[in-house]
Amino acid sequence: MYRLSKLRFGFPIGLFLFLFLDGSISQVFSTHLFRYSAVMVSHLVVLWLICAILFEDRIDMPLARWAAVMGAVFDLYYTGIFGVYVFIFPLVVYLTRVLTRYISPNFLSGLLIYFIDITLVEALGYLASRMVHLTNMAGSTFLVTTLGPTLALNLALFVILYFPIRWVYNWLN
Amino acid sequence: MQKFSFNRRLVIIIVCLIVSFALMTLSVAIRNKRSTPPLIQQFGNDIVGLADRVVALPANGLSGSVSSLSELLNTYQENQQLKKQVGELAQTKVRDQTLAKENKQLKKQIGLNASLTDYTAITAAVITRTPSSWQNQVVINKGSSAGVVKNMPVMSGSGLVGRIAEVNKTNSKVELITDNNDSANRFAVQITTKSGKTVNGVLSGFNANSGEITMNNLTTKAKISKGDKVVTSGLGGVTPKGLYVGQVAKSTGDDYGLSTKLYITPATDLSSLNIVTVAVTKQ
């Protein structure tokens, strides 16, 4: 099924497109996103991965492997510190798979799942950065200045992009 | 059986954690010590960088046209103000040319080939920015093939914005001075006070709340006042002398009352960078 569908090529292309869009959005809107009091980080790659699980749960895609590849590209190209997102992205995919076993995926439960995923991505990224001394921000400051605004931005993006992405997946399938 | 699978999962998690931590430590060590990343990483980054341009160019172009449209609205006012400045600038430029010429002749007389102030510039465009709150980095479209070397200072507009943190063949990463990590390079700077004294020091960090660069451990008796200009001193490495960093915003005693702490307003808006200049010193 997966071998024959357009998804086989469409999915990785979408993945890379969203990865680069993350960087471009950060660059174009850097004045608004990276304020000192509130930092918003877009995680569109995660959105594309999660939507693949929400919409295409019947088709067996090598999602965790693609997530690891995306994490590796993210680490090498964007941050330059290897070994952070290469583990976080597959973990998020695994977590979402576990969650969809208990919650039937629709728009609202998808929002909830995405909320948990983004929290995980940001929190683990923060812990990793603390460990290698990239930041010395206190945990409470992280919650207020980074996690909160990032969640707000990404949930807004989820609401805006949920139906377009579903349309794309339907078209690819 | 249930117990066995739980144990296996635990082992996998722990192994992943250890491997992750080892990889992170290794890459931070490589990043701090070596002038270029490993060849495979360079190669991968070059390919990803090329692919990224397909997305980044339309996005940056679109934002450019939108901002030029909004800038069109206050062009008239700006034009009025700028006209006044141009008159003064012509005067300064002519004087600057004369002085540069004289400087060149004098250097020739004493047989000095290159001094700390000499540098050539490489202009580069910003492709993308790291979507992370922990690293203020941008990726620019010039790399080692254009002559970029690690730790070179990067400027934008009128002032210093950061330094080259990683060099690939066709692109490189710039770590902005807003980045506060432990391994970030701190620039050696000097301040010329109103009374004509020169104070040397090293930038020590960035205060995210006020958006100002901080400078610690100054033990000078000279009085530094608000508005004094801060420029790089060219001491200790690849940074040329005389790159503008910013103006002194505030001068206070430090936490223990032993030395002076300065707050410096950056010369350029560090949050929006499109075109940057890499300063290459002759060595």
Side-chain angles (χ1 to χ4, degrees):
Chain A
M1 197 61 181
Y2 169 66
R3 282 178 174 282
L4 294 174
S5 67
K6 277 184 267 182
L7 212 55
R8 195 182 175 197
F9 300 102
F11 175 71
I13 291 173
L15 212 47
F16 273 101
L17 189 74
F18 274 57
L19 182 79
F20 293 146
L21 270 181
D22 271 343
S24 285
I25 286 175
S26 309
Q27 163 63 14
V28 170
F29 298 104
S30 55
T31 332
H32 312 286
L33 295 182
F34 294 97
R35 275 201 220 135
Y36 307 122
S37 53
V39 179
M40 294 185 239
V41 188
S42 78
H43 288 296
L44 288 176
V45 196
V46 181
L47 180 62
W48 183 256
L49 281 169
I50 299 314
C51 284
I53 301 170
L54 294 183
F55 303 139
E56 305 293 335
D57 53 338
R58 288 159 294 122
I59 297 175
D60 200 24
M61 276 194 284
L63 269 181
R65 250 171 283 162
W66 273 116
V69 169
M70 276 305 107
V73 173
F74 193 100
D75 280 347
L76 292 178
Y77 182 61
Y78 280 138
T79 64
I81 288 166
F82 190 69
V84 184
Y85 289 93
V86 73
F87 291 103
I88 293 178
F89 285 171
L91 184 69
V92 164
V93 168
Y94 173 74
L95 180 79
T96 312
R97 280 224 167 113
V98 170
L99 284 175
T100 46
R101 232 179 275 160
Y102 298 104
I103 315 167
S104 66
N106 58 36
F107 179 70
L108 279 178
S109 66
L111 200 66
L112 179 71
I113 291 171
Y114 194 55
F115 183 92
I116 296 168
D117 288 337
I118 291 297
T119 313
L120 189 78
V121 169
E122 275 299 314
L124 290 181
Y126 167 69
L127 285 180
S129 308
R130 268 301 280 264
M131 277 198 291
V132 294
H133 292 261
L134 277 180
T135 178
N136 50 12
M137 189 185 270
S140 53
T141 323
F142 158 71
L143 290 181
V144 178
T145 60
T146 306
L147 186 63
T150 302
L151 274 172
L153 173 78
N154 283 290
L155 292 182
L157 285 174
F158 181 90
V159 172
I160 296 166
L161 292 174
Y162 181 85
F163 292 104
I165 289 180
R166 192 169 72 173
W167 183 83
V168 170
Y169 270 112
N170 283 337
W171 178 75
L172 284 173
N173 205 342
Chain B
M1 207 59 205
Q2 181 65 32
K3 197 161 189 292
F4 171 72
S5 81
F6 174 72
N7 275 344
R8 204 177 59 170
R9 203 174 292 162
L10 197 70
V11 168
I12 291 175
I13 290 173
I14 289 172
V15 166
C16 276
L17 267 177
I18 293 169
V19 171
S20 160
F21 195 67
L23 281 174
M24 282 192 303
T25 323
L26 190 74
S27 53
V28 169
I30 287 176
R31 188 185 158 94
N32 290 346
K33 290 206 178 93
R34 287 177 51 171
S35 59
T36 51
L39 210 65
I40 304 169
Q41 188 179 345
Q42 261 190 66
F43 185 66
N45 279 347
D46 284 328
I47 290 176
V48 176
L50 280 179
D52 192 3
R53 274 169 223 197
V54 179
V55 178
L57 282 180
N60 291 346
L62 202 68
S63 95
S65 50
V66 169
S67 65
S68 50
L69 201 70
S70 65
E71 270 162 25
L72 199 65
L73 296 173
N74 46 28
T75 307
Y76 178 75
Q77 270 189 335
E78 228 174 58
N79 192 21
Q80 298 286 334
Q81 290 172 347
L82 289 176
K83 260 182 193 163
K84 280 179 203 159
Q85 283 185 20
V86 166
E88 293 167 32
L89 206 64
Q91 173 78 27
T92 321
K93 201 177 169 186
V94 171
R95 190 171 156 73
D96 190 58
Q97 271 173 358
T98 330
L99 287 175
K101 207 172 171 185
E102 190 190 50
N103 194 355
K104 209 173 167 186
Q105 284 169 347
L106 290 173
K107 269 184 192 168
K108 213 175 183 178
Q109 273 189 356
I110 55 169
L112 196 66
N113 284 326
S115 66
L116 286 173
T117 46
D118 288 334
Y119 67 88
T120 49
I122 300 173
T123 310
V126 174
I127 305 175
T128 186
R129 190 187 167 112
T130 303
S132 157
S133 37
W134 316 120
Q135 282 173 301
N136 293 309
Q137 272 182 344
V138 291
V139 180
I140 59 172
N141 67 352
K142 290 281 166 67
S144 59
S145 56
V148 177
V149 177
K150 188 175 163 157
N151 285 334
M152 279 177 174
V154 179
M155 294 171 296
S156 172
S158 54
L160 188 75
V161 293
R163 60 149 193 139
I164 302 284
E166 187 191 304
V167 188
N168 304 306
K169 281 270 176 302
T170 56
N171 57 41
S172 36
K173 292 192 182 80
V174 178
E175 193 175 66
L176 304 181
I177 35 176
T178 52
D179 206 307
N180 248 341
N181 73 51
D182 282 6
S183 59
N185 194 13
R186 298 300 174 210
F187 289 94
V189 293
Q190 64 181 31
I191 305 157
T192 308
T193 59
K194 293 219 164 63
S195 55
K197 275 185 185 154
T198 304
V199 179
N200 277 297
V202 177
L203 299 183
S204 60
F206 188 78
N207 188 343
N209 293 325
S210 58
E212 284 162 343
I213 305 166
T214 54
M215 189 171 165
N216 270 338
N217 302 332
L218 277 176
T219 51
T220 176
K221 291 279 187 298
K223 190 175 166 3
I224 298 163
S225 49
K226 191 181 166 183
D228 283 350
K229 302 245 185 318
V230 182
V231 294
T232 56
S233 62
L235 297 174
V238 286
T239 313
K241 191 178 182 177
L243 302 183
Y244 186 34
V245 177
Q247 282 187 345
V248 175
K250 200 169 62 179
S251 161
T252 55
D254 77 344
D255 301 343
Y256 306 103
L258 295 171
S259 57
T260 316
K261 185 175 187 180
L262 290 185
Y263 291 89
I264 300 160
T265 316
T268 21
D269 181 14
L270 288 156
S271 59
S272 66
L273 302 170
N274 294 313
I275 304 289
V276 295
T277 311
V278 184
V280 183
T281 36
K282 291 182 202 112
Q283 282 179 330

